[in-house]
Amino acid sequence: MQGHRRERAAEQIRLELSEILEAELDDPRAPSVHVTKVELSKDLANAKVFLSPADPDPIEDERSYLEPIVRASGYIRSQLAERLDMRRTPLLDFRLDRGQMNADRIETLLERVKKRSKRGIDDVLTVFVAVLLCASGARAAEKPSEIERYEASATVMGSELRVALYGERRGALASAAIAAFDEARRIDALISNYKDDSEWSRINREAGSHPVMVSQESFDLIEQCLRYSQASEGAFDISVGPLVKVWGFYKGSGRLPSQREIRSALGEVGYQGIALDPAKRTVRFTRAGMEIDPGGIGKGYAVQKIAEIFHKYHMRSAMISAGSSSMYAIGAPPDEPKGWRTEIRDPSDKGRVIEIHLRDESLSTSGSYEKFFRAEGKTYSHIFDPRTGMPAQGTAQVSVLAESALDTEAWTTALFVNGLAWAEKHVAELPRVLFCPDGEPCRWLGAR
């Protein structure tokens, strides 16, 4: 009886998956396939899903061919859960049905031979062309779908990552959103210093004693961070990790350290102590106790990579937001040609907001109100000057607009630390900046 129940459940899953893959999954990269069979494990927790390509052309790389479907497996499984009367939805393992593919190919060849024996080759070509013309005519007669909005969110990198997209097919929008969250989780697994098994945690453990070979992605990102450090004269510095810990902002809400603790941490901070070897793709710390911290760059990097994914999905109107600190807009909403509307509050006037329309650009904001604590009558924020070891003073908030989310994220920190006078001196070298000094109205620097 149990075997029959499993077979019935497998057939139900096959039918539902066939409909989902045909009607709901609108990723333009996803291949057209038939679900030939489903094999359920005895505990019904796992399902092998065998697929046969609708296109008879040979497949060179099975993994690449199935990647769009595998990437959307979370969305497919959620849709399946709504349709099944099961306590839990099985995990889906998609694979090609080689036996069915071979049978289909033989059947196609036999059919061609049969047709050619009954009519001349010209007749075959005539029928083929007629079929193509009918298909194209049917597509042309289809009414265009209405534009709809799709929103989704996930908790990644310690904050809420939100996406909003406009498009004609809800399935395609959902697939793009799933790909975005998968990418953010991948980046978090790569650079998080809260995950012991991340590559950046491994760098922090080992680079003080020997060069550590890293992925090309990590190497390139660290190298770019060092460029920001040089351009900002050390105000931006990913080696600020020891200061974050001594001030109690690592897994905490902050504390007032002693001057001795600050001096000790400063001896372990300084981007000049990060040595890169491009030939061997290694990272090494020249000072003992050094640690890199992605807090000033991680969200901006994730937003930038998600924007690249949305471009691959041919999204023409999308907004990506990583908490309140970093966002990126692609195109404009259908009802707002100026771009995606967002607001920045003026910390000197709580009732005033500054309206900005983003279109194919990023906005990042850093403020002393994000993380802070009060001690001995003073307020201490989580944004440090790596050169003094003290929280930056004199700035309430900085917002930066640029084409790259990586640029905006790094420069908000650098400008917050360096202050208004430094920003005004280097205004020709900077992107658009909204600078808000303590107790003063916000002001724009650079071209608007």
Side-chain angles (χ1 to χ4, degrees):
M1 290 293 292
Q2 186 177 1
H4 290 302
R5 186 166 67 91
R6 191 164 71 246
E7 289 176 4
R8 288 196 301 271
E11 179 60 16
Q12 183 186 2
I13 291 172
R14 187 190 71 80
L15 293 173
E16 298 294 352
L17 284 176
S18 296
E19 185 176 338
I20 292 170
L21 291 175
E22 180 179 353
E24 298 292 337
L25 187 61
D26 292 318
D27 182 347
R29 300 181 304 166
S32 178
V33 294
H34 303 298
V35 183
T36 57
K37 63 178 177 178
V38 172
E39 293 181 355
L40 276 173
S41 61
K42 290 184 178 181
D43 59 359
L44 308 183
N46 298 278
K48 294 179 182 177
V49 182
F50 293 88
L51 306 174
S52 175
D55 188 339
D57 292 340
I59 297 170
E60 296 181 0
D61 185 350
E62 178 177 340
R63 183 175 181 180
S64 298
Y65 181 83
L66 293 177
E67 181 181 2
I69 296 177
V70 173
R71 184 184 289 273
S73 60
Y75 170 74
I76 296 171
R77 190 166 174 242
S78 68
Q79 292 297 304
L80 191 61
E82 295 178 1
R83 303 170 185 229
L84 295 178
D85 184 20
M86 298 177 67
R87 279 193 309 171
R88 58 177 175 176
T89 306
L91 295 173
L92 304 176
D93 176 16
F94 293 100
R95 55 184 66 189
L96 289 178
D97 189 344
R98 292 289 180 181
Q100 184 62 43
M101 288 167 59
N102 292 334
D104 290 344
R105 190 170 294 113
I106 293 171
E107 185 65 29
T108 300
L109 291 173
L110 289 174
E111 190 64 26
R112 287 176 181 173
V113 171
K114 185 189 299 182
K115 287 181 178 179
R116 288 177 182 175
S117 67
K118 292 183 178 180
R119 60 166 67 100
I121 188 66
D122 291 339
D123 292 337
V124 174
L125 290 175
T126 300
V127 173
F128 181 67
V129 171
V131 171
L132 286 180
L133 289 174
C134 289
S136 62
R139 285 193 297 268
E142 291 179 356
K143 293 181 180 180
S145 302
E146 292 184 2
I147 299 295
E148 63 175 300
R149 180 184 176 104
Y150 182 90
E151 293 188 45
S153 65
T155 301
V156 188
M157 305 179 93
S159 65
E160 185 180 32
L161 175 63
R162 298 186 61 84
V163 297
L165 309 99
Y166 283 95
E168 296 179 354
R169 305 296 293 269
R170 189 173 182 82
L173 302 178
S175 296
I178 290 168
F181 298 142
D182 285 347
E183 179 69 357
R185 294 186 185 99
R186 183 192 68 81
I187 292 169
D188 191 37
L190 177 74
I191 69 176
S192 174
N193 58 347
Y194 289 92
K195 298 180 183 293
D196 291 337
D197 58 348
S198 76
E199 189 167 64
W200 281 34
S201 289
R202 181 168 62 87
I203 293 171
N204 286 339
R205 287 194 301 270
E206 301 177 15
S209 58
H210 63 85
V212 177
M213 181 177 289
V214 298
S215 64
Q216 189 65 55
E217 183 175 14
S218 277
F219 189 92
D220 292 343
L221 181 56
I222 294 172
E223 188 174 47
Q224 181 61 51
C225 288
L226 297 186
R227 294 194 190 103
Y228 290 129
S229 295
Q230 293 169 352
S232 65
E233 299 176 5
F236 174 87
D237 194 334
I238 58 170
S239 73
V240 75
L243 283 174
V244 174
K245 288 185 174 181
V246 79
W247 278 92
F249 284 109
Y250 179 76
K251 298 183 179 180
S253 57
R255 58 176 285 271
L256 184 62
S258 68
Q259 287 298 314
R260 181 178 179 180
E261 288 176 303
I262 295 173
R263 286 195 299 270
S264 176
L266 272 177
E268 301 168 347
V269 172
Y271 71 94
Q272 301 90 341
I274 302 175
L276 302 181
D277 186 336
K280 297 180 180 179
R281 210 174 67 219
T282 59
V283 180
R284 181 174 61 87
F285 296 153
T286 62
R287 302 179 188 177
M290 289 189 70
E291 291 185 12
I292 55 177
D293 187 308
I297 201 72
K299 292 178 183 177
Y301 182 63
V303 168
Q304 185 66 34
K305 298 297 287 185
I306 291 172
E308 293 174 9
I309 284 180
F310 282 175
H311 283 302
K312 291 180 181 178
Y313 273 77
H314 305 293
M315 295 291 116
R316 296 181 180 179
S317 179
M319 170 63 85
I320 310 152
S321 175
S324 60
S325 63
S326 189
M327 59 184 65
Y328 189 94
I330 296 175
D335 57 347
E336 185 51 83
K338 290 192 296 184
W340 291 82
R341 181 182 177 277
T342 186
E343 294 179 347
I344 301 175
R345 72 179 185 91
D346 186 339
S348 67
D349 183 352
K350 294 183 179 180
R352 178 174 180 259
V353 295
I354 300 166
E355 182 178 294
I356 297 176
H357 286 87
L358 299 177
R359 188 180 182 117
D360 298 318
E361 62 183 338
S362 172
L363 168 68
S364 294
T365 299
S366 288
S368 57
Y369 53 82
E370 294 174 349
K371 289 182 183 179
F372 65 91
F373 68 93
R374 291 187 62 82
E376 299 179 356
K378 293 183 179 180
T379 300
Y380 299 92
S381 80
H382 72 298
I383 305 174
F384 304 99
D385 187 336
R387 300 158 299 194
T388 66
M390 298 295 294
Q393 300 291 321
T395 305
Q397 180 177 285
V398 174
S399 297
V400 178
L401 291 90
E403 293 183 1
S404 164
L406 202 61
D407 286 347
T408 60
E409 185 83 355
W411 278 111
T412 53
T413 300
L415 292 170
F416 192 102
V417 171
N418 275 334
L420 179 60
W422 190 95
E424 290 177 330
K425 181 180 178 181
H426 295 83
V427 66
E429 309 158 23
L430 299 174
R432 291 173 62 195
V433 179
L434 181 65
F435 208 102
C436 306
D438 269 335
E440 299 180 28
C442 299
R443 66 194 72 177
W444 284 102
L445 302 179
R448 293 191 61 179

